[in-house]
Amino acid sequence: MAYSELRTTENSIKTSTQLNKKNIQNGNKDDFFARKQRLAQQRKSLPIASVEKRLVEEVRKNDTLIIVGETGSGKTTQLPQFLFNGGFCREGKVIGVTQPRRVAAVTVAKRVAEECGVELGQRVGYSIRFEDMTSNSTRIKYMTDGLLLREALLDPFLSRYAVIIVDEAHERTVHTDVLLGLLKNVQKARSQSSSQQCNTEKNKSHNNSAMDDNENSQCFSLLIPCQGRKYPPLKLIIMSASLDAKGFSDYFGGAKAVHIQGRQHPVDILYTLHAERDFLEAALITVFQIHLEEGPGDILVFLTGQEEIESMERLVKDRVQQLPEDKHKIQTVPIFSSLPSEQQMLVFRPAPSGFRKVILATNIAETSVTIPGIKYVIDPGLVKARCYNPRTGMESLITIPTSKAQALQRSGRAGREGPGKCFRLYPESEFAKLADSTVPEIKRCNLSNVILQLKALGVDDIIGFDFMEKPSRMAIVKSLEHLFLLGALTDDYKLSNPVGNQMARLPLDPIYAKSLILASEFNCLEEMLITVAMLSVDSIFYTPREKMKEARDAKKSFASQEGDHLTLMNVFRTSAEFLEKRKMSGSKDKTAERSLGKWCRDNFINSRSLKHARDIHSQIRGHVEQMGLRVTSCGDEMLQFRRCLAASFFLNAALKQPDGSYRALANSQIVRIHPSSVFFRTKPECIIFNELVRTNDDFIRNITRIDPLWLPELAPQYFAAQS
DNA sequence: GAGCACTGC
């Protein structure tokens, strides 16, 4: 295939010695000191090290600072240490650093603890869902941004923190965007609380005297809990890898932005001369072009989904047979999120000697997973993205062109260990037409959860909330209506008590949170806890292409005639009984867990999803018990449980049509039962469902049969007017 | 008889 001239994007800076994994495990004293010395050397050689004093000074001078740091600058690990040494943790205050992903929070915290020579969980720690590695002495705390949002519900002023660093802000996840808005309010309120004494007597009710103008009225509600208390100003640092700091700076009132040099090797970017019609074929040709003409080094190919990855794998294997025998040494390795972890791990294993590894990946390899040894990247310029239509309330996945930022992120994967090459399968003129950055997630998702959180944080005027980028009015109104129908909001759209408050405290989809509250009244909270935990995770059933029949039979053994909800519950309970038996018979916890892994494989269950569901189950159980909800079981009274499902998910009720499709009662939309449902063949007259996704058709998933007469009985406020 | 980018509480 023809490519245009090579172009060099970034300057090369030599990297220091790589870490030697072996030495970490060795408790040997010499190794310990050698490693310590090496760590210190590495720290000193980071681009950020030379500007330590200046950075600390800038943070002292500016309440908000934007830091643009390229990959490898060391900003995430070093800046918190600089600030700690600079005295920002006086009086027991904490430096919080947020990350969009759990793995990042954990690995960075471990690294920093080691650099500081302290035990993880002491001065340096991390906190993510299901795992808290912090203590009273923790001063540098890495955490996920979603977790900090949850913390804000309990401590609206984030009073423990002197500094909050929002890392990877350019990724613009929903959590990051909500957090930025919240932090802006907290910062404003805290600087006012320290400059202006709150008047405890006068401010019992909503009273604007503590604020200068209406624009500030939103942080007023945040002020209430701090009445009479004083807080030091909150230092805010927004760190981004994208070169465009202006958006963040503008949002924070013209905050100062500083730039820190990165340390990437140069990556040559090549474009095709013409637009390619078939990107799979173009990628295939490029793989072999690299294999035959370029030096050693592994290839990373970005594809849109599992299906493309699997067909690409077959194509490479077929095509390699046409080459002379001495050119056969290619090994393909797929990676995507729903792949079982053991198979995911294979991408990290070096290819056999003399072989070239070709990694076929979704955008899991863009940020979440860093694979060593990549020298070549092939980027067709496409990505599958979630879209939300607020009018229909429907989510869908569509393939769209990447943004420039995303293309840059992908090409950067070729320059982590040495100079690399990136082949973009489109002409350079097309690159110029790409959007600069990806549309923030908050503009393309259902907002019910976001709104419930904001309401619980005291933000009543959602439409007036100062989002960095405002979601559409329609999306906001739609979600407000939805929350109102669930009973989370009152007639004047305030958070209801106790229902709305309880729902906001549960880390679940609002509709699932509501179902738990209802279940305690229906005496089936035990069952509903299991159900919502199982509904909250990715697909539980795993169906490998080559073992379809076995997988289907395994699934049948769990199937319930009542529907998918009870089927999921059967899986959960059977696995729990299995684990219990193992532990009773004297197996250690670890051994029992391992045999659960085998049980999962035998039953074609995705063990990662099941583990996740078990974690959610125990976490949520703790929450509902704390709230004082009664956790009781309906035993064999499945009718009672199905009635509770109907009462919970009445917004998703549907009636069978003569042609076997269904009509959703809420909006008369015609939908079809997904083939993964137990009701794909035997179709009941009336059902409730949990998920509506558009793929080749408008499919509904997770379905239970109900009696249509229950609907007006259990949700009269909704169905009375309609019948 | 389908096919599910990726995170997160």
Side-chain angles (χ1 to χ4, degrees):
Chain A
M1 217 151 73
Y3 284 95
S4 62
E5 272 177 55
L6 308 188
R7 295 187 321 136
T8 298
T9 48
E10 281 164 292
N11 294 323
S12 165
I13 299 173
K14 216 159 165 18
T15 44
S16 55
T17 30
Q18 290 288 318
L19 291 182
N20 185 346
K21 275 262 162 69
K22 269 184 201 152
N23 285 343
I24 306 176
Q25 286 146 5
N26 261 331
N28 190 309
K29 240 186 192 173
D30 289 342
D31 280 350
F32 176 78
F33 286 115
R35 176 162 172 79
K36 212 169 163 186
Q37 210 168 15
R38 202 164 35 238
L39 273 175
Q41 262 167 14
Q42 278 171 0
R43 285 193 65 194
K44 254 188 256 165
S45 74
L46 284 167
I48 198 174
S50 57
V51 290
E52 169 167 0
K53 276 208 181 104
R54 211 192 112 203
L55 272 176
V56 172
E57 206 43 48
E58 292 292 358
V59 177
R60 236 188 280 274
K61 279 194 299 203
N62 300 285
D63 274 351
T64 308
L65 191 66
I66 317 293
I67 295 183
V68 175
E70 294 162 26
T71 318
S73 62
K75 60 186 190 318
T76 309
T77 53
Q78 304 308 301
L79 184 65
Q81 298 185 60
F82 296 167
L83 296 179
F84 177 85
N85 295 333
F88 281 86
C89 294
R90 287 203 192 100
E91 292 169 31
K93 288 281 188 270
V94 175
I95 298 168
V97 189
T98 72
Q99 296 289 329
R101 277 173 296 281
R102 298 160 51 108
V103 263
V106 176
T107 51
V108 175
K110 285 181 180 162
R111 170 79 192 198
V112 173
E114 196 182 8
E115 286 185 3
C116 294
V118 298
E119 201 184 319
L120 186 65
Q122 294 304 306
R123 193 205 302 157
V124 181
Y126 68 86
S127 191
I128 58 177
R129 189 182 190 184
F130 311 129
E131 216 182 324
D132 185 13
M133 272 295 250
T134 62
S135 60
N136 283 336
S137 46
T138 301
R139 293 294 168 267
I140 298 176
K141 174 173 166 185
Y142 289 88
M143 65 197 127
T144 44
D145 43 17
L147 196 101
L148 184 60
L149 275 175
R150 286 279 154 191
E151 253 187 61
L153 287 179
L154 304 173
D155 176 15
F157 270 78
L158 299 169
S159 54
R160 310 166 47 198
Y161 299 96
V163 185
I164 286 175
I165 303 175
V166 180
D167 200 6
E168 313 284 7
H170 62 281
E171 289 193 22
R172 302 294 301 277
T173 65
V174 185
H175 286 155
T176 305
D177 272 26
V178 176
L179 190 60
L180 291 178
L182 172 76
L183 290 172
K184 200 174 160 175
N185 274 350
V186 171
Q187 192 180 42
K188 215 186 280 177
R190 268 175 54 168
S191 67
Q192 269 154 9
S193 93
S194 57
S195 64
Q196 204 174 336
Q197 183 78 42
C198 290
N199 188 323
T200 326
E201 272 63 51
K202 280 185 191 163
N203 286 347
K204 280 269 153 61
S205 62
H206 283 230
N207 176 339
N208 268 359
S209 66
M211 293 289 145
D212 332 316
D213 52 39
N214 264 344
E215 197 214 322
N216 285 343
S217 64
Q218 287 194 334
C219 56
F220 177 70
S221 41
L222 287 166
L223 256 182
I224 294 170
C226 88
Q227 283 168 358
R229 260 177 277 166
K230 271 185 152 188
Y231 291 110
L234 176 67
K235 293 285 182 186
L236 213 52
I237 299 167
I238 314 298
M239 299 209 289
S240 161
S242 82
L243 299 177
D244 173 36
K246 193 168 179 304
F248 292 111
S249 172
D250 288 349
Y251 181 60
F252 285 100
K256 182 160 187 183
V258 297
H259 186 271
I260 300 170
Q261 222 194 349
R263 196 167 54 182
Q264 267 279 64
H265 296 274
V267 175
D268 291 335
I269 309 284
L270 294 89
Y271 293 93
T272 58
L273 292 175
H274 309 284
E276 297 299 323
R277 200 170 288 166
D278 181 349
F279 77 85
L280 221 53
E281 177 66 19
L284 185 68
I285 292 172
T286 308
V287 166
F288 283 102
Q289 206 166 318
I290 294 169
H291 184 54
L292 298 175
E293 295 168 14
E294 303 278 349
D298 295 339
I299 305 173
L300 172 60
V301 190
F302 283 101
L303 298 167
T304 57
Q306 179 177 352
E307 205 171 307
E308 281 90 353
I309 288 175
E310 284 170 353
S311 44
M312 184 73 178
E313 211 177 356
R314 281 194 298 273
L315 286 170
V316 173
K317 280 176 183 157
D318 288 350
R319 201 65 62 95
V320 85
Q321 295 307 320
Q322 300 166 13
L323 294 178
E325 199 139 337
D326 62 320
K327 309 280 189 215
H328 278 197
K329 293 184 167 176
I330 277 193
Q331 183 194 40
T332 57
V333 205
I335 182 164
F336 44 90
S337 82
S338 59
L339 198 69
S341 4
E342 309 98 76
Q343 288 174 59
Q344 282 189 353
M345 289 307 163
L346 297 181
V347 300
F348 298 107
R349 196 185 289 174
S353 144
F355 273 71
R356 191 194 294 276
K357 193 161 63 168
V358 178
I359 296 131
L360 309 172
T362 59
N363 40 352
I364 193 173
E366 228 171 66
T367 46
S368 310
V369 169
T370 300
I371 304 155
I374 304 291
K375 196 172 168 64
Y376 307 99
V377 164
I378 299 176
D379 178 12
L382 295 169
V383 63
K384 221 181 256 188
R386 172 192 285 160
C387 279
Y388 174 69
N389 181 341
R391 206 171 41 77
T392 60
M394 185 130 86
E395 285 191 340
S396 52
L397 281 170
I398 53 166
T399 301
I400 55 169
T402 62
S403 63
K404 284 187 186 125
Q406 229 173 340
L408 207 67
Q409 175 69 29
R410 288 181 173 188
S411 59
R413 292 311 207 180
R416 293 190 69 90
E417 292 166 21
K421 280 186 182 180
C422 173
F423 298 77
R424 294 191 180 146
L425 304 183
Y426 48 89
E428 189 165 5
S429 56
E430 287 299 312
F431 178 78
K433 291 183 206 158
L434 298 178
D436 285 342
S437 42
T438 314
V439 177
E441 198 185 358
I442 201 161
K443 296 186 96 173
R444 46 190 177 88
C445 75
N446 176 326
L447 296 172
S448 300
N449 221 336
V450 167
I451 293 178
L452 188 63
Q453 292 296 301
L454 285 175
K455 292 268 177 192
L457 286 163
V459 178
D460 270 330
D461 177 14
I462 304 293
I463 292 184
F465 184 71
D466 183 15
F467 286 106
M468 189 167 160
E469 262 167 87
K470 230 185 243 310
S472 76
R473 199 188 169 90
M474 165 111 81
I476 294 176
V477 169
K478 193 81 182 179
S479 293
L480 282 169
E481 275 171 15
H482 183 233
L483 288 171
F484 172 75
L485 288 169
L486 292 180
L489 302 179
T490 60
D491 289 343
D492 51 354
Y493 291 94
K494 293 240 158 60
L495 200 62
S496 67
N497 212 357
V499 172
N501 275 304
Q502 288 179 323
M503 284 171 65
R505 280 174 63 189
L506 293 167
L508 287 171
D509 259 6
I511 200 165
Y512 296 156
K514 177 64 187 300
S515 73
L516 293 179
I517 297 170
L518 281 173
S520 73
E521 293 162 21
F522 278 76
N523 284 321
C524 56
L525 186 47
E526 188 90 53
E527 283 74 17
M528 197 60 93
L529 276 168
I530 295 173
T531 306
V532 300
M534 292 293 266
L535 289 172
S536 299
V537 301
D538 290 338
S539 178
I540 282 285
F541 296 102
Y542 174 68
T543 320
R545 203 171 279 250
E546 62 284 5
K547 286 184 184 166
M548 293 266 249
K549 170 96 175 54
E550 293 96 316
R552 215 174 304 156
D553 289 346
K555 195 173 168 182
K556 252 186 217 154
S557 69
F558 299 107
S560 157
Q561 293 313 302
E562 315 286 345
D564 300 314
H565 296 94
L566 280 156
T567 303
L568 287 173
M569 203 157 77
N570 286 341
V571 173
F572 187 95
R573 285 190 159 155
T574 313
S575 68
E577 279 162 21
F578 175 88
L579 200 60
E580 204 47 47
K581 255 186 230 157
R582 283 298 156 118
K583 285 182 183 167
M584 292 277 277
S585 67
S587 296
K588 285 199 182 115
D589 282 11
K590 266 248 171 83
T591 330
E593 294 282 348
R594 214 174 302 134
S595 45
L596 184 63
K598 186 180 180 310
W599 181 89
C600 283
R601 276 194 298 282
D602 293 345
N603 288 284
F604 294 91
I605 301 292
N606 185 328
S607 64
R608 198 183 334 138
S609 298
L610 183 64
K611 167 83 168 65
H612 193 193
R614 293 166 54 81
D615 285 339
I616 293 176
H617 179 260
S618 70
Q619 186 193 35
I620 304 297
R621 195 187 173 102
H623 273 108
V624 298
E625 279 169 353
Q626 220 175 22
M627 284 178 192
L629 298 183
R630 284 176 306 134
V631 184
T632 52
S633 166
C634 59
D636 293 331
E637 299 278 327
M638 282 307 139
L639 188 93
Q640 179 72 354
F641 180 58
R642 284 195 295 127
R643 281 171 59 84
C644 185
L645 287 173
S648 305
F649 306 130
F650 66 90
L651 286 170
N652 296 334
L655 285 176
K656 187 159 89 169
Q657 301 294 105
D659 68 348
S661 67
Y662 282 77
R663 185 171 57 85
L665 292 179
N667 55 7
S668 293
Q669 199 191 339
I670 299 302
V671 295
R672 273 166 228 290
I673 292 186
H674 194 274
S676 64
S677 170
V678 295
F679 289 137
F680 182 65
R681 273 171 227 280
T682 56
K683 297 186 164 69
E685 285 306 315
C686 183
I687 56 172
I688 51 94
F689 61 88
N690 274 118
E691 224 185 330
L692 168 55
V693 188
R694 163 171 286 172
T695 47
N696 279 353
D697 211 329
D698 292 339
F699 284 113
I700 50 175
R701 279 192 293 203
N702 293 325
I703 302 164
T704 283
R705 71 179 172 85
I706 62 161
D707 185 330
L709 291 176
W710 293 347
L711 293 170
E713 179 201 337
L714 297 171
Q717 73 291 5
Y718 190 67
F719 285 98
Q722 300 210 336
S723 53

